[in-house]
Amino acid sequence: MQIIQTRRRFLASAAMAGAAGIVGLPELLQAEPLETTSVRLPRYVGGSYCWAGAYIAGELMRAEGFTDVRYVEGDRSVDQSEWMARGETDFSVNFPPNQIASIDAGVPIKVLTGLHSGCLELIAKESIRSVTDLRGKRVGVDGFNNSRHVWLTLMAAYVGLDPVNDIQWVLTEDNKPTELFIEGKIDAFLGTPPQPQQLRASKIGHTILNNAVDRPWSEYFCCMISARADYVNKYPVATKRVLRSIVKAADLCVSDPAMVARQMVDREFVPSYDFALQTLKDIRYDRWREYDAEDSLRFYALRMQELGMIKSTPQEIIAGGTDWRFLGELKRELKT
């Protein structure tokens, strides 16, 4: 079994390296030797369909010279920002509001780049046509002050609703929000892949906000890459190699989504090829070059500061919790 897995990994690594155009790496390895060949990345139990850029990047990192690429698996009930705070992972794929809250709390991380937009859809029953129509409605969340609750609070406040008093928050607890929605126990919820794709396939409900297309949310990243500050400071060459692998993987998500979807399933990151492929087609992985990562953090930090979610100013968040030097170099190196 170990021989089969090793051969499969070798073939996957070679295929990914060839597709990403990094097969001529030996000269680069000699010019910039890695300070470490180990890196730890996150994965959720059951997989996360919108993390394709990070999942597929593991093989590219091995082609870049990393010999110990580990995906640390954890439960969705604990946000990966806590994994970073506990030093369990070196890199993170997370929502900007989560990263901003971590920086505000003093967690030593550095946001390095944006990855994509478009992995969030606000699903509602047919009678609800816009975010403002959520006034008095039952909106499902899996906890207070966590990712979905924070996002929905920001979205509600942006259109003039009072998130505390105008919305009936319903804790989904151990239930899946899609099941409660289908049963009519909640009127709306914020879905992440593959939930919107599943409901669309069943023609249940509809999307009233999609952050791939609806402004202002579509103008900013919804997932960004961060790393532990000590990893960035101690291993700048390794940090750049990891980041290069991730953005090259993002390019592959755009240029060959079918291959990426198959890799995600074959390597057991997610169970469904169809939902993986549809998610790759829905998400905007082409925006890491186009969008201003700093502008995304500034936008969300300002909204959070206005609502009293953080004490730091947007500029303090950016000054203390970001490092854009690698992104600038990669944009110059990987021009298309």
Side-chain angles (χ1 to χ4, degrees), residues 30-101:
Q30 293 176 2
E32 292 184 296
L34 287 169
E35 309 96 341
T36 179
T37 56
S38 298
V39 62
R40 297 170 300 169
L41 304 159
R43 67 179 292 175
Y44 279 132
V45 173
S48 183
Y49 284 84
C50 58
W51 286 12
Y55 286 161
I56 297 304
E59 298 304 332
L60 301 181
M61 291 174 203
R62 292 183 179 97
E64 289 259 12
F66 288 89
T67 58
D68 180 21
V69 179
R70 278 174 282 166
Y71 285 90
V72 179
E73 189 170 70
D75 191 271
R76 292 178 185 273
S77 63
V78 179
D79 185 76
Q80 55 174 308
S81 59
E82 294 188 31
W83 307 355
M84 293 278 281
R86 295 195 295 253
E88 295 172 358
T89 55
D90 301 312
F91 285 78
S92 168
V93 185
N94 214 336
F95 298 128
N98 295 38
Q99 292 162 330
I100 290 166

Side-chain angles (χ1 to χ4, degrees), residues 130-137 159-162 165-168:
S130 67
V131 179
T132 54
D133 290 342
L134 293 179
R135 189 188 304 273
K137 299 299 190 296
V159 298
L161 295 178
D162 179 346
N165 299 308
D166 288 343
I167 293 177
Q168 296 182 43

Side-chain angles (χ1 to χ4, degrees), residues 56-307:
I56 297 304
E59 298 304 332
L60 301 181
M61 291 174 203
R62 292 183 179 97
E64 289 259 12
F66 288 89
T67 58
D68 180 21
V69 179
R70 278 174 282 166
Y71 285 90
V72 179
E73 189 170 70
D75 191 271
R76 292 178 185 273
S77 63
V78 179
D79 185 76
Q80 55 174 308
S81 59
E82 294 188 31
W83 307 355
M84 293 278 281
R86 295 195 295 253
E88 295 172 358
T89 55
D90 301 312
F91 285 78
S92 168
V93 185
N94 214 336
F95 298 128
N98 295 38
Q99 292 162 330
I100 290 166
S102 292
I103 296 166
D104 183 63
V107 179
I109 66 170
K110 295 292 182 181
V111 180
L112 304 175
T113 184
L115 183 58
H116 65 247
S117 66
C119 65
L120 297 169
E121 294 187 38
L122 184 48
I123 311 296
K125 63 182 185 180
E126 293 298 333
S127 61
I128 298 173
R129 309 306 299 177
S130 67
V131 179
T132 54
D133 290 342
L134 293 179
R135 189 188 304 273
K137 299 299 190 296
R138 300 164 301 170
V139 179
V141 290
D142 52 353
F144 291 114
N145 300 316
N146 66 2
S147 298
R148 285 180 174 80
H149 183 246
V150 169
W151 272 109
L152 287 164
T153 296
L154 295 176
M155 291 171 175
Y158 192 83
V159 298
L161 295 178
D162 179 346
V164 176
N165 299 308
D166 288 343
I167 293 177
Q168 296 182 43
W169 299 106
V170 177
L171 283 175
T172 57
E173 297 179 333
D174 295 331
N175 300 300
K176 294 181 179 179
T178 50
E179 294 176 355
L180 295 180
F181 183 73
I182 292 171
E183 294 169 1
K185 295 179 180 178
I186 57 175
D187 301 311
F189 73 98
L190 189 64
T192 57
Q195 294 164 341
Q197 290 76 16
Q198 290 172 329
L199 291 176
R200 270 198 295 275
S202 302
K203 295 182 170 54
I204 298 173
H206 70 126
T207 297
I208 62 172
L209 188 152
N210 182 333
N211 75 334
V213 296
D214 293 321
R215 295 183 177 182
W217 317 101
S218 62
E219 299 177 312
Y220 305 101
F221 290 110
C222 66
C223 282
M224 303 185 75
I225 303 297
S226 59
R228 291 189 297 111
D230 61 345
Y231 192 99
V232 175
N233 294 333
K234 289 172 62 178
Y235 313 131
V237 174
T239 298
K240 183 178 176 180
R241 296 277 184 86
V242 170
L243 203 59
R244 177 163 51 212
S245 298
I246 292 173
V247 297
K248 276 183 169 285
D251 287 344
L252 285 173
C253 291
V254 178
S255 64
D256 199 345
M259 182 273 288
V260 171
R262 177 52 58 198
Q263 288 278 330
M264 290 176 70
V265 174
D266 287 349
R267 294 168 58 206
E268 300 181 346
F269 283 116
V270 296
S272 171
Y273 171 82
D274 290 337
F275 286 140
L277 182 59
Q278 187 58 54
T279 299
L280 287 164
K281 292 179 177 179
D282 291 341
I283 287 178
R284 297 298 303 271
Y285 271 104
D286 57 333
R287 287 175 168 165
W288 75 265
R289 285 184 177 84
E290 303 171 12
Y291 281 12
D292 186 330
E294 183 172 310
D295 197 35
S296 290
L297 280 188
R298 185 179 296 107
F299 172 80
Y300 292 114
L302 181 59
R303 307 279 88 74
M304 294 173 74
Q305 184 189 32
E306 290 172 344
L307 291 172

